[in-house]
Every structure is written in structure tokens, then in C-alpha cells.
Amino acid sequence: DSSMTSVPGAWSPGTVPPWGSPIVPRARSLSTVSSSCASEVDNEDPADALREAIVHGSLHRMRQLVRQYDGCANQPLETHLGRLSPLMLAAACSQVAAGEILLQAGADAEAVASGKTAIDFAIFSGYTGSYAMVQMLIFAGCRLHRALGTATLAGRSDIMDLLLLHGADRQYAAAQY
């Protein structure tokens, strides 16, 4: 919404992100959300395969799946944390490269599950790489108006500093609740 301030240095697909690796968006139909993740190919459930590829960091397999099944980057996955978007799962596991692949495939960084977004899952992740995941999501343009409170609850002063550097306090003040 127009009351939100833009994130300084926000990254957009098709450009070289500040964290280093270039991401090239693939062509997608915005008018159609495919349900092909629910179909089976070679006796394998693509949603299960995507979940396993994210958790285990199998990047080659992830690329295959998001190329083969349009819409899978936003297909909810059953996980031990509940139904999450693939990007939320990657954030919870601090799988930064997996997050890049999903963003390239059109993952919605603002999708909500149980009141949380991908950046919330990244902040609460106890894995090495959670800082890098939060940084990637910031540069991907995630809204930060709630993330500062999440970082405070998680006791993550390193991430609070990062969020403040990127305008989380201004976004919070501009948010209308």
C-alpha cells in the first residue's frame, strides 16, 4: 500500500542481488495458478519432493521441480510446522540458495501462514544462515513493519540492527493496523 515506505536498495528479480548470485526470473503466467503440484509423475508426489529438496538443500532437484510444475513455488506444503509455503520452509531451515530459487520461480515473500511470513520463520530459525536469509528477504522487498517485533521476541539483536538499517522502524510507523 502507498503508506508503506520503500526498502532502501530493494532487490528485484532479474538484477544482481546484493548478496551476490544473479537470479533470472522465468516466464510465468500471472493469471493462472497451476495445481500441478498435486499431480503425480513417476509415482512421486511433487509437493513431497519439493519439501524434501528444500529441507535437504537439494538445489538441482528444486530447480527441476519448479521448472516442471508451474505454481509449485507457492503451493502450500505439509510440514512439521504446519502448512507452509516453500519459501517459509526454506526460511525456517535457513536454506538461502533454496530461497533464491523459489523467489526466481515467483514465490510470494509476503504469503502468511499462522500469522507469520517467511521473514518471521527466518528470524526464529536457529540455524546458521538465518541472518543471510533475512538479508535476502529484505533485498527481495519483504515488508518489515512486523519483523522488528519478531526479532525482538527472538532476542536477535543482530537482525534488529539489520532491520533498522533497512528502515523497519519507518515501515512500522507507516503501517496502519
Side-chain angles (χ1 to χ4, degrees):
D1 92 41
S2 62
S3 68
M4 300 298 292
T5 57
S6 63
V7 176
W11 166 80
S12 61
T15 64
V16 177
W19 59 90
S21 53
I23 296 177
V24 180
R26 56 188 200 102
R28 297 180 49 83
S29 169
L30 297 178
S31 62
T32 306
V33 176
S34 173
S35 63
S36 60
C37 276
S39 67
E40 290 190 4
V41 174
D42 297 328
N43 297 322
E44 178 180 50
D45 179 9
D48 288 343
L50 183 59
R51 181 184 58 247
E52 293 303 310
I54 292 167
V55 169
H56 297 292
S58 303
L59 304 179
H60 177 72
R61 183 68 178 130
M62 280 189 62
R63 285 185 192 97
Q64 287 177 327
L65 291 163
V66 297
R67 273 195 301 265
Q68 188 173 6
Y69 300 103
D70 191 34
C72 283
N74 288 305
Q75 181 72 27
L77 303 174
E78 294 296 334
T79 75
H80 68 286
L81 299 170
R83 287 176 60 87
L84 303 180
S85 74
L87 186 59
M88 289 175 196
L89 181 58
C93 297
S94 295
Q95 293 282 4
V96 178
E100 289 183 53
I101 291 168
L102 293 165
L103 287 168
Q104 175 184 339
D108 180 2
E110 293 298 319
V112 177
S114 300
K116 298 177 189 78
T117 63
I119 202 163
D120 296 314
F121 283 99
I123 290 167
F124 274 108
S125 170
Y127 293 106
T128 302
S130 62
Y131 184 92
M133 177 61 83
V134 170
Q135 185 178 30
M136 180 186 67
L137 291 167
I138 289 170
F139 286 117
C142 279
R143 289 179 292 173
L144 307 178
H145 63 282
R146 293 176 1 131
L148 190 58
T150 303
T152 303
L153 286 172
R156 296 293 307 266
S157 60
D158 58 336
I159 292 179
M160 290 187 316
D161 290 342
L162 178 64
L163 293 168
L164 288 169
L165 179 68
H166 289 281
D169 53 339
R170 291 184 304 278
Q171 286 190 29
Y172 180 83
Q176 296 177 356
Y177 291 97

